[in-house]
Amino acid sequence: MNWIKKTLKIGEKIKTLLKKRPTKDEIKNSEWISCCKGPVLKKDMENNLWVCPSCNKHHRISCKQRFDIIFGKNNYEILKTPTPQDDPLQWKDTKSYKDRLKDARIKTGMDCGIMVVNSKIDNINVTAAASDFAFIGGSVRAAEGDALLTGIQHAIDNQHPFINFTSGGGMRMFESLISLSQMTRVTLAINELKNNNLPYLVVMCDPCAGGITGSYAMIGDIHFAEPGALVAFAGARVIQGTVKEELPEGFQKSEYVQKTGFIDAIVERKELKEKINSILSILLKKNSDISSIPDETSEDVRTITKAAS
Ligand SMILES: [Zn+2]
């Protein structure tokens, strides 16, 4: 066989390989999902809360899947959030921003990348927000900022703690400064939450990066993170290029970030609900040990003191 025939044969092989690759739709509609040891049945993965039984990888999940796990299936009320104008800068690159938004809405069934709900963890009323990475990488624009503000205002109005399951690549640069200003808006809103003495819990989910880590994901009263979640501001390659040093193993993984003091605890997905519940019980003094300590100004103590005198 001469070299021309050999090259043609290799070309044919490559063509067949490329042809055999499944399309995005085929992957989405398949009953299988891929992880470390090859395909795993989606049903098995779902029963394990979308955590790989072999390598413990916490797969990315949608907002509804997240809330179903924490609050119970459909056991929450989805709050309506504002819909600001799409594409204020008339952005277009390889594809128009309007088309990207349209595709993301079809793919996720959401108007924006953040969903806000009102629900309960055991007997504690909470307001919670979660991001969907499938909605343009979980990036934040005016709509996502407004969604968070709606959630925080709801928490203040109802005196609820606010739980934020943060994830996403950062601010959405298709909206330039409008996106960047969401960091300040949400930070100011969280300050209001704190002025009202309401707990603000952050659960960092994979990936949590850019302006999200640079603002509202890092100012919680308590910071939880899922195992192996990427928690970063700038990308590792950018940092390595700047400092010109080899970065340590596991750099920017939640376990590493915990060692640097930015994360309080790494919590497995199956234990999140219980951990959130117990920390809220302590912060809201609903824990039986804590609530048994008498408050000097409480009605009961005043009655007892009066009776004793
Ligand atoms: Zn795996």
Side-chain angles (χ1 to χ4, degrees):
M1 192 187 289
N2 67 29
W3 69 271
I4 299 175
K5 279 186 181 167
K6 266 188 189 172
T7 317
L8 285 173
K9 212 174 174 186
I10 292 169
E12 284 304 314
K13 270 189 182 170
I14 293 173
K15 262 190 195 170
T16 342
L17 277 175
L18 287 177
K19 267 186 194 167
K20 277 183 184 167
R21 282 194 150 194
T23 62
K24 278 187 180 174
D25 276 345
E26 280 172 338
I27 294 172
K28 196 184 163 193
N29 298 327
S30 159
E31 288 183 357
W32 299 86
I33 190 169
S34 173
C35 198
C36 54
K37 288 191 176 167
V40 186
L41 266 174
K42 276 186 182 167
K43 199 76 206 154
D44 290 347
M45 201 66 110
E46 189 181 357
N47 290 339
N48 205 35
L49 310 180
W50 301 98
V51 176
C52 173
S54 307
C55 67
N56 202 36
K57 178 179 171 175
H58 283 53
H59 284 255
R60 291 170 189 164
I61 50 177
S62 71
C63 301
K64 281 194 173 174
Q65 286 169 329
R66 170 78 56 194
F67 293 138
D68 284 349
I69 292 169
I70 302 292
F71 303 121
K73 196 148 180 77
N74 297 323
N75 195 22
Y76 46 85
E77 174 204 354
I78 299 172
L79 302 181
K80 182 144 181 54
T81 59
T83 45
Q85 184 203 343
D86 282 350
D87 197 14
L89 304 180
Q90 310 281 302
W91 183 276
K92 192 171 185 209
D93 44 75
T94 51
K95 198 173 172 183
S96 80
Y97 176 37
K98 270 193 179 135
D99 285 343
R100 285 180 201 274
L101 278 171
K102 200 173 144 192
D103 291 348
R105 282 172 182 150
I106 294 169
K107 194 172 164 189
T108 60
M110 288 164 61
D111 269 344
C112 77
I114 289 183
M115 187 180 277
V116 183
V117 298
N118 173 35
S119 190
K120 264 184 180 191
I121 289 193
D122 288 340
N123 284 324
I124 304 173
N125 291 315
V126 297
T127 308
S131 317
D132 191 340
F133 187 78
F135 199 106
I136 319 187
S139 53
V140 175
R141 73 161 186 127
E144 284 74 10
D146 280 353
L148 288 170
L149 259 58
T150 306
I152 294 166
Q153 190 60 54
H154 181 271
I156 294 171
D157 291 345
N158 296 281
Q159 294 292 290
H160 288 176
F162 187 63
I163 309 166
N164 201 354
F165 297 91
T166 60
S167 75
M171 300 298 121
R172 194 177 305 157
M173 286 299 96
F174 301 133
E175 293 193 18
S176 188
L177 275 178
I178 300 169
S179 287
L180 288 174
S181 66
Q182 305 312 315
M183 295 163 70
T184 323
R185 287 180 82 210
V186 180
T187 302
L188 289 171
I190 290 163
N191 277 348
E192 278 307 305
L193 200 67
K194 294 187 179 184
N195 288 341
N196 280 271
N197 292 323
L198 295 168
Y200 173 47
L201 254 65
V202 176
V203 182
M204 293 177 220
C205 310
D206 183 64
C208 196
I212 297 173
T213 320
S215 63
Y216 60 82
M218 281 290 168
I219 50 173
D221 296 312
I222 304 287
H223 293 159
F224 290 145
E226 289 196 328
L230 178 102
V231 178
F233 182 64
R237 262 182 301 170
V238 176
I239 297 173
Q240 189 150 342
T242 312
V243 299
K244 309 224 180 311
E245 272 181 35
E246 195 67 32
L247 298 173
E249 207 185 317
F251 183 68
Q252 296 182 329
K253 288 284 172 199
S254 51
E255 290 78 2
Y256 181 90
V257 182
Q258 184 191 19
K259 284 183 197 153
T260 63
F262 288 98
I263 291 171
D264 296 302
I266 309 286
V267 185
E268 299 267 334
R269 194 170 284 165
K270 60 176 182 287
E271 288 165 3
L272 259 178
K273 181 184 173 180
E274 196 192 317
K275 286 273 180 206
I276 293 173
N277 183 31
S278 66
I279 203 80
L280 285 181
S281 302
I282 294 168
L283 293 174
L284 297 168
K285 298 186 181 174
K286 286 186 190 277
N287 179 295
S288 57
D289 290 341
I290 292 172
S291 59
S292 65
I293 301 167
D295 176 355
E296 283 182 9
T297 56
S298 77
E299 191 69 34
D300 290 345
V301 171
R302 267 185 273 133
T303 318
I304 294 163
T305 321
K306 208 175 169 187
S309 62

